[in-house]
Coordinates of all heavy atoms in Angstrom, one line a residue:
V55 N 13.6 -46.0 2.9 CA 14.0 -47.4 2.8 C 14.4 -47.9 4.2 O 15.4 -47.4 4.8 CB 15.2 -47.6 1.9 CG1 15.6 -49.1 1.8 CG2 14.9 -47.1 0.5
G56 N 13.7 -48.9 4.7 CA 14.0 -49.5 6.0 C 15.1 -50.4 6.0 O 15.5 -51.0 5.0
W57 N 15.7 -50.7 7.2 CA 16.9 -51.5 7.3 C 16.7 -52.6 8.3 O 16.3 -52.4 9.4 CB 18.0 -50.5 7.9 CG 19.4 -51.2 8.0 CD1 19.8 -52.0 9.1 CD2 20.5 -51.0 7.2 NE1 21.1 -52.3 8.9 CE2 21.6 -51.7 7.8 CE3 20.7 -50.3 6.0 CZ2 22.8 -51.8 7.2 CZ3 22.0 -50.3 5.4 CH2 23.0 -51.1 6.0
V58 N 16.9 -53.8 7.8 CA 16.9 -55.0 8.8 C 18.3 -55.4 8.9 O 18.9 -55.9 7.9 CB 16.0 -56.1 8.2 CG1 15.9 -57.3 9.1 CG2 14.6 -55.6 7.9
D59 N 18.8 -55.3 10.1 CA 20.2 -55.5 10.3 C 20.6 -57.0 10.5 O 19.9 -57.7 11.2 CB 20.6 -54.8 11.6 CG 22.1 -54.4 11.6 OD1 22.6 -54.2 10.5 OD2 22.7 -54.2 12.7
M60 N 21.6 -57.4 9.8 CA 22.1 -58.8 9.9 C 23.6 -58.8 10.1 O 24.4 -59.1 9.1 CB 21.7 -59.6 8.6 CG 22.1 -61.0 8.6 SD 21.1 -62.1 9.7 CE 22.0 -63.6 9.5
P61 N 24.1 -58.3 11.3 CA 25.5 -58.2 11.5 C 26.2 -59.5 11.9 O 25.6 -60.2 12.7 CB 25.6 -57.2 12.6 CG 24.3 -57.4 13.4 CD 23.3 -57.9 12.4
I62 N 27.3 -59.9 11.2 CA 28.0 -61.1 11.6 C 29.4 -60.6 11.9 O 30.2 -60.3 11.0 CB 28.1 -62.1 10.4 CG1 26.7 -62.4 9.9 CG2 28.7 -63.4 10.9 CD1 25.7 -63.1 10.8
A63 N 29.7 -60.6 13.2 CA 31.1 -60.1 13.6 C 32.2 -61.0 13.1 O 32.0 -62.2 12.9 CB 31.1 -60.1 15.2
G64 N 33.3 -60.4 12.9 CA 34.5 -61.1 12.4 C 35.2 -60.3 11.3 O 34.6 -60.2 10.2
G65 N 36.4 -59.8 11.6 CA 37.1 -58.9 10.6 C 37.2 -59.6 9.3 O 37.4 -60.9 9.2
S66 N 37.2 -58.8 8.2 CA 37.4 -59.2 6.8 C 36.2 -60.2 6.3 O 36.3 -60.7 5.2 CB 38.7 -59.9 6.6 OG 38.7 -61.3 6.7
G67 N 35.2 -60.4 7.2 CA 34.0 -61.1 6.7 C 34.1 -62.6 6.6 O 33.3 -63.2 6.0
V68 N 35.1 -63.2 7.2 CA 35.3 -64.7 7.1 C 34.0 -65.3 7.6 O 33.4 -66.2 7.0 CB 36.5 -65.1 7.9 CG1 36.7 -66.6 7.8 CG2 37.8 -64.4 7.4
E69 N 33.6 -64.9 8.8 CA 32.4 -65.6 9.4 C 31.1 -65.2 8.6 O 30.2 -66.0 8.4 CB 32.2 -65.1 10.9 CG 33.2 -65.8 11.8 CD 34.6 -65.2 11.8 OE1 34.8 -64.2 11.2 OE2 35.5 -65.8 12.4
A70 N 31.1 -63.9 8.2 CA 29.9 -63.5 7.4 C 29.7 -64.3 6.2 O 28.6 -64.7 5.8 CB 30.0 -62.0 7.0
M71 N 30.8 -64.7 5.5 CA 30.7 -65.5 4.3 C 30.2 -66.9 4.6 O 29.5 -67.5 3.8 CB 32.1 -65.6 3.6 CG 32.5 -64.3 3.0 SD 31.3 -63.5 1.9 CE 30.5 -62.2 2.9
T72 N 30.5 -67.5 5.8 CA 30.0 -68.8 6.1 C 28.5 -68.7 6.4 O 27.7 -69.6 5.9 CB 30.7 -69.2 7.5 OG1 32.1 -69.1 7.3 CG2 30.3 -70.7 7.8
V73 N 28.0 -67.7 7.0 CA 26.6 -67.5 7.3 C 25.9 -67.3 6.0 O 24.8 -67.9 5.7 CB 26.3 -66.3 8.2 CG1 24.9 -66.0 8.3 CG2 26.9 -66.6 9.6
L74 N 26.5 -66.5 5.1 CA 25.9 -66.2 3.8 C 25.6 -67.5 3.0 O 24.5 -67.8 2.5 CB 26.7 -65.3 2.9 CG 26.3 -65.0 1.5 CD1 24.9 -64.4 1.5 CD2 27.3 -64.1 0.8
R75 N 26.7 -68.4 3.0 CA 26.5 -69.6 2.2 C 25.4 -70.5 2.8 O 24.6 -71.1 2.1 CB 27.8 -70.4 2.3 CG 28.8 -70.1 1.1 CD 30.0 -71.0 1.1 NE 30.8 -71.0 2.3 CZ 31.7 -70.1 2.6 NH1 32.0 -69.1 1.7 NH2 32.4 -70.1 3.7
A76 N 25.3 -70.5 4.2 CA 24.2 -71.3 4.8 C 22.8 -70.7 4.5 O 21.9 -71.5 4.2 CB 24.4 -71.3 6.3
R77 N 22.7 -69.4 4.5 CA 21.4 -68.7 4.2 C 21.0 -69.0 2.7 O 19.9 -69.3 2.4 CB 21.5 -67.2 4.4 CG 21.7 -66.7 5.8 CD 20.3 -66.5 6.5 NE 19.4 -65.7 5.7 CZ 19.0 -64.4 5.9 NH1 19.5 -63.8 7.0 NH2 18.2 -63.8 5.2
V78 N 22.0 -69.0 1.8 CA 21.7 -69.2 0.4 C 21.3 -70.7 0.2 O 20.3 -71.0 -0.5 CB 22.8 -68.8 -0.5 CG1 22.5 -69.2 -2.0 CG2 23.1 -67.3 -0.4
A79 N 22.0 -71.6 0.9 CA 21.7 -73.0 0.7 C 20.3 -73.3 1.3 O 19.6 -74.2 0.8 CB 22.8 -73.8 1.5
A80 N 19.9 -72.5 2.3 CA 18.6 -72.8 2.9 C 17.5 -72.0 2.1 O 16.3 -72.0 2.5 CB 18.5 -72.3 4.3
G81 N 17.8 -71.4 0.9 CA 16.9 -70.7 0.1 C 16.4 -69.4 0.7 O 15.3 -69.0 0.4
N82 N 17.2 -68.8 1.6 CA 16.8 -67.6 2.3 C 17.9 -66.6 2.2 O 18.4 -66.1 3.2 CB 16.5 -68.0 3.7 CG 16.1 -66.9 4.6 OD1 15.5 -65.9 4.1 ND2 16.3 -67.0 5.9
A83 N 18.3 -66.2 1.0 CA 19.4 -65.2 0.8 C 19.0 -63.9 1.3 O 17.8 -63.5 1.2 CB 19.7 -65.1 -0.7
P84 N 19.9 -63.1 2.0 CA 19.6 -61.8 2.4 C 19.4 -60.9 1.2 O 19.9 -61.3 0.1 CB 20.9 -61.3 3.1 CG 21.7 -62.6 3.3 CD 21.3 -63.6 2.3
V85 N 18.7 -59.8 1.4 CA 18.4 -58.9 0.2 C 19.7 -58.2 -0.3 O 19.9 -58.1 -1.5 CB 17.4 -57.9 0.7 CG1 17.1 -56.9 -0.4 CG2 16.1 -58.6 1.1
A86 N 20.5 -57.8 0.6 CA 21.8 -57.1 0.2 C 22.9 -57.6 1.1 O 22.7 -57.9 2.3 CB 21.6 -55.6 0.4
V87 N 24.1 -57.7 0.5 CA 25.2 -58.4 1.2 C 26.5 -57.6 0.9 O 26.8 -57.3 -0.3 CB 25.4 -59.8 0.7 CG1 26.6 -60.5 1.4 CG2 24.1 -60.6 1.0
Q88 N 27.3 -57.3 2.0 CA 28.6 -56.8 1.8 C 29.5 -57.9 1.3 O 29.6 -59.0 1.9 CB 29.1 -56.3 3.2 CG 30.5 -55.7 3.2 CD 31.0 -55.5 4.6 OE1 30.3 -55.8 5.6 NE2 32.3 -55.0 4.7
L89 N 30.2 -57.6 0.2 CA 31.1 -58.6 -0.4 C 32.4 -58.0 -0.8 O 32.5 -56.8 -1.1 CB 30.4 -59.3 -1.6 CG 29.3 -60.2 -1.4 CD1 28.7 -60.7 -2.8 CD2 29.6 -61.4 -0.6
L90 N 33.4 -58.8 -0.9 CA 34.7 -58.4 -1.4 C 35.1 -59.1 -2.7 O 34.9 -60.3 -2.8 CB 35.8 -58.7 -0.4 CG 35.7 -58.0 1.0 CD1 36.8 -58.5 2.0 CD2 35.9 -56.5 0.9
G91 N 35.7 -58.4 -3.6 CA 36.4 -59.0 -4.8 C 35.9 -60.3 -5.4 O 34.8 -60.3 -6.0
F92 N 36.7 -61.3 -5.3 CA 36.4 -62.5 -6.0 C 35.2 -63.2 -5.5 O 34.6 -64.0 -6.2 CB 37.6 -63.5 -5.9 CG 38.7 -63.2 -7.0 CD1 39.7 -62.3 -6.7 CD2 38.6 -63.8 -8.2 CE1 40.6 -61.9 -7.7 CE2 39.6 -63.5 -9.2 CZ 40.6 -62.5 -8.9
D93 N 34.8 -62.9 -4.2 CA 33.5 -63.5 -3.7 C 32.3 -63.0 -4.6 O 31.4 -63.7 -4.8 CB 33.3 -63.1 -2.2 CG 34.2 -63.8 -1.3 OD1 34.8 -64.9 -1.7 OD2 34.4 -63.4 -0.2
I94 N 32.4 -61.7 -5.0 CA 31.4 -61.1 -5.8 C 31.3 -61.9 -7.1 O 30.2 -62.4 -7.6 CB 31.6 -59.6 -6.2 CG1 31.9 -58.8 -4.9 CG2 30.5 -59.1 -7.0 CD1 32.4 -57.4 -5.2
T95 N 32.5 -62.1 -7.8 CA 32.5 -62.9 -9.0 C 32.0 -64.3 -8.8 O 31.2 -64.8 -9.7 CB 34.0 -63.0 -9.5 OG1 34.6 -61.7 -9.4 CG2 34.1 -63.5 -10.9
D96 N 32.4 -64.9 -7.7 CA 31.9 -66.3 -7.5 C 30.4 -66.4 -7.4 O 29.8 -67.3 -8.0 CB 32.5 -66.9 -6.2 CG 34.0 -67.3 -6.4 OD1 34.4 -67.3 -7.6 OD2 34.7 -67.6 -5.4
W97 N 29.8 -65.4 -6.7 CA 28.3 -65.5 -6.5 C 27.6 -65.1 -7.9 O 26.6 -65.7 -8.2 CB 27.8 -64.5 -5.4 CG 28.0 -65.0 -4.1 CD1 28.9 -64.6 -3.1 CD2 27.4 -66.2 -3.5 NE1 28.9 -65.4 -2.0 CE2 27.9 -66.4 -2.2 CE3 26.4 -67.1 -3.9 CZ2 27.5 -67.4 -1.3 CZ3 26.0 -68.1 -3.0 CH2 26.5 -68.2 -1.8
A98 N 28.3 -64.2 -8.6 CA 27.7 -63.9 -10.0 C 27.8 -65.1 -10.9 O 26.8 -65.4 -11.6 CB 28.5 -62.8 -10.6
K99 N 28.8 -65.9 -10.8 CA 29.0 -67.1 -11.6 C 27.9 -68.1 -11.3 O 27.4 -68.8 -12.1 CB 30.3 -67.8 -11.3 CG 31.4 -67.3 -12.2 CD 32.7 -68.2 -11.9 CE 33.9 -67.5 -12.5 NZ 35.1 -67.9 -11.9
E100 N 27.4 -68.1 -10.0 CA 26.4 -69.0 -9.6 C 25.0 -68.5 -10.0 O 24.0 -69.1 -9.7 CB 26.4 -69.2 -8.1 CG 27.6 -70.0 -7.7 CD 27.5 -70.6 -6.3 OE1 26.4 -70.7 -5.8 OE2 28.5 -70.9 -5.8
G101 N 25.0 -67.3 -10.6 CA 23.7 -66.7 -11.0 C 22.8 -66.2 -9.8 O 21.6 -66.0 -10.0
A102 N 23.5 -65.9 -8.7 CA 22.7 -65.5 -7.5 C 22.4 -64.0 -7.4 O 21.6 -63.6 -6.6 CB 23.5 -66.0 -6.2
L103 N 23.2 -63.2 -8.2 CA 23.1 -61.8 -8.0 C 22.1 -61.1 -9.0 O 22.1 -61.5 -10.2 CB 24.5 -61.1 -8.1 CG 25.5 -61.7 -7.1 CD1 26.8 -61.0 -7.2 CD2 25.0 -61.7 -5.7
A104 N 21.4 -60.1 -8.5 CA 20.5 -59.3 -9.4 C 21.3 -58.3 -10.2 O 22.2 -57.6 -9.6 CB 19.5 -58.6 -8.5
P105 N 21.0 -58.1 -11.5 CA 21.7 -57.1 -12.2 C 21.3 -55.7 -11.8 O 20.2 -55.5 -11.4 CB 21.3 -57.4 -13.7 CG 20.0 -58.2 -13.6 CD 20.1 -58.9 -12.3
L106 N 22.3 -54.8 -11.9 CA 22.0 -53.4 -11.5 C 22.3 -52.5 -12.6 O 22.5 -51.3 -12.4 CB 23.0 -53.0 -10.3 CG 22.8 -53.8 -9.0 CD1 23.9 -53.5 -8.0 CD2 21.4 -53.5 -8.4
D107 N 22.2 -53.0 -13.9 CA 22.5 -52.2 -15.0 C 21.6 -50.9 -15.2 O 22.2 -49.9 -15.5 CB 22.3 -53.0 -16.3 CG 23.3 -54.2 -16.4 OD1 24.4 -54.0 -15.9 OD2 23.0 -55.2 -17.0
D108 N 20.3 -51.0 -14.8 CA 19.5 -49.8 -15.0 C 19.9 -48.7 -14.0 O 20.0 -47.5 -14.4 CB 18.0 -50.2 -14.9 CG 17.6 -51.1 -13.8 OD1 18.6 -51.5 -13.1 OD2 16.4 -51.2 -13.5
V109 N 20.2 -49.1 -12.8 CA 20.7 -48.1 -11.8 C 22.0 -47.5 -12.3 O 22.2 -46.3 -12.3 CB 20.9 -48.7 -10.4 CG1 21.3 -47.7 -9.4 CG2 19.7 -49.5 -10.0
A110 N 22.9 -48.4 -12.7 CA 24.3 -48.0 -13.2 C 24.1 -47.0 -14.3 O 24.8 -45.9 -14.3 CB 25.1 -49.2 -13.6
E111 N 23.2 -47.3 -15.2 CA 23.1 -46.4 -16.4 C 22.5 -45.0 -16.0 O 23.0 -44.0 -16.3 CB 22.2 -47.0 -17.4 CG 22.4 -46.3 -18.7 CD 21.6 -47.0 -19.9 OE1 21.4 -48.2 -19.8 OE2 21.2 -46.2 -20.8
A112 N 21.4 -45.1 -15.1 CA 20.8 -43.8 -14.7 C 21.7 -43.0 -13.9 O 21.7 -41.7 -14.0 CB 19.5 -44.2 -13.9
E113 N 22.6 -43.6 -13.1 CA 23.5 -42.8 -12.2 C 24.9 -42.6 -12.9 O 25.7 -42.0 -12.2 CB 23.7 -43.6 -10.9 CG 22.4 -43.9 -10.2 CD 21.8 -42.7 -9.5 OE1 22.6 -41.8 -9.0 OE2 20.6 -42.6 -9.4
G114 N 25.1 -43.1 -14.1 CA 26.4 -42.8 -14.8 C 27.6 -43.5 -14.1 O 28.7 -42.9 -14.1
W115 N 27.4 -44.7 -13.6 CA 28.6 -45.3 -12.9 C 29.8 -45.6 -13.8 O 30.9 -45.5 -13.4 CB 28.1 -46.7 -12.3 CG 27.2 -46.6 -11.1 CD1 26.7 -45.5 -10.5 CD2 26.6 -47.7 -10.4 NE1 25.8 -45.8 -9.5 CE2 25.8 -47.2 -9.4 CE3 26.7 -49.1 -10.5 CZ2 25.0 -48.0 -8.5 CZ3 26.0 -49.9 -9.7 CH2 25.2 -49.3 -8.7
E116 N 29.4 -45.9 -15.0 CA 30.5 -46.4 -16.0 C 31.6 -45.3 -16.0 O 32.8 -45.7 -16.1 CB 29.9 -46.5 -17.4 CG 30.7 -47.3 -18.4 CD 31.0 -48.7 -18.0 OE1 30.0 -49.5 -17.6 OE2 32.2 -49.1 -18.0
E117 N 31.3 -44.1 -16.0 CA 32.3 -43.0 -16.2 C 33.0 -42.7 -14.9 O 34.1 -42.1 -15.0 CB 31.6 -41.7 -16.6 CG 31.1 -41.7 -18.0 CD 29.8 -42.6 -18.2 OE1 28.9 -42.5 -17.4 OE2 29.8 -43.4 -19.2
V118 N 32.5 -43.0 -13.7 CA 33.1 -42.6 -12.5 C 33.7 -43.6 -11.6 O 34.5 -43.3 -10.7 CB 32.1 -41.7 -11.6 CG1 31.7 -40.5 -12.4 CG2 30.9 -42.5 -11.3
V119 N 33.3 -44.9 -11.8 CA 33.9 -45.9 -10.9 C 35.3 -46.4 -11.5 O 35.4 -46.7 -12.7 CB 32.9 -47.2 -10.8 CG1 33.6 -48.3 -10.1 CG2 31.6 -46.7 -10.2
P120 N 36.3 -46.4 -10.7 CA 37.6 -46.8 -11.2 C 37.6 -48.2 -11.8 O 36.9 -49.1 -11.3 CB 38.5 -46.7 -9.9 CG 37.7 -46.1 -8.9 CD 36.3 -46.1 -9.2
G121 N 38.5 -48.4 -12.8 CA 38.5 -49.6 -13.5 C 38.8 -50.8 -12.6 O 38.2 -51.9 -12.7
A122 N 39.7 -50.6 -11.6 CA 40.1 -51.7 -10.7 C 38.9 -52.2 -9.9 O 38.8 -53.4 -9.6 CB 41.2 -51.3 -9.7
L123 N 37.9 -51.4 -9.7 CA 36.7 -51.8 -8.9 C 35.7 -52.4 -9.9 O 35.0 -53.4 -9.6 CB 36.0 -50.6 -8.2 CG 36.9 -49.9 -7.2 CD1 35.9 -49.1 -6.3 CD2 37.7 -50.8 -6.3
K124 N 35.6 -51.8 -11.1 CA 34.7 -52.3 -12.1 C 35.0 -53.8 -12.4 O 34.1 -54.5 -12.7 CB 34.8 -51.5 -13.4 CG 33.8 -50.4 -13.5 CD 33.7 -49.8 -14.9 CE 34.3 -48.5 -15.0 NZ 34.4 -47.9 -16.3
D125 N 36.3 -54.1 -12.4 CA 36.6 -55.5 -12.7 C 35.8 -56.5 -11.8 O 35.6 -57.7 -12.2 CB 38.1 -55.8 -12.5 CG 38.9 -55.1 -13.6 OD1 38.4 -54.6 -14.6 OD2 40.2 -54.9 -13.4
F126 N 35.4 -56.0 -10.6 CA 34.7 -56.9 -9.7 C 33.2 -56.5 -9.6 O 32.4 -57.4 -9.3 CB 35.4 -56.8 -8.3 CG 36.8 -57.4 -8.4 CD1 37.9 -56.5 -8.5 CD2 37.0 -58.7 -8.2 CE1 39.2 -57.0 -8.6 CE2 38.3 -59.3 -8.3 CZ 39.4 -58.4 -8.5
A127 N 32.9 -55.3 -9.8 CA 31.5 -54.8 -9.7 C 30.7 -55.2 -10.9 O 29.5 -55.2 -10.9 CB 31.5 -53.3 -9.6

Side-chain angles (χ1 to χ4, degrees):
V55 179
W57 181 282
V58 180
D59 208 27
M60 180 73 188
I62 310 291
S66 94
V68 181
E69 284 79 8
M71 291 306 100
T72 308
V73 172
L74 174 61
R75 273 189 300 276
R77 291 268 313 248
V78 174
N82 180 27
V85 176
V87 179
Q88 178 190 1
L89 288 177
L90 296 173
F92 279 88
D93 287 341
I94 308 172
T95 314
D96 283 350
W97 284 111
K99 271 188 194 154
E100 292 198 20
L103 305 183
L106 296 171
D107 293 330
D108 47 352
V109 185
E111 196 176 330
E113 302 286 325
W115 290 359
E116 195 62 50
E117 289 71 45
V118 295
V119 174
L123 302 196
K124 263 195 253 180
D125 289 346
F126 296 93

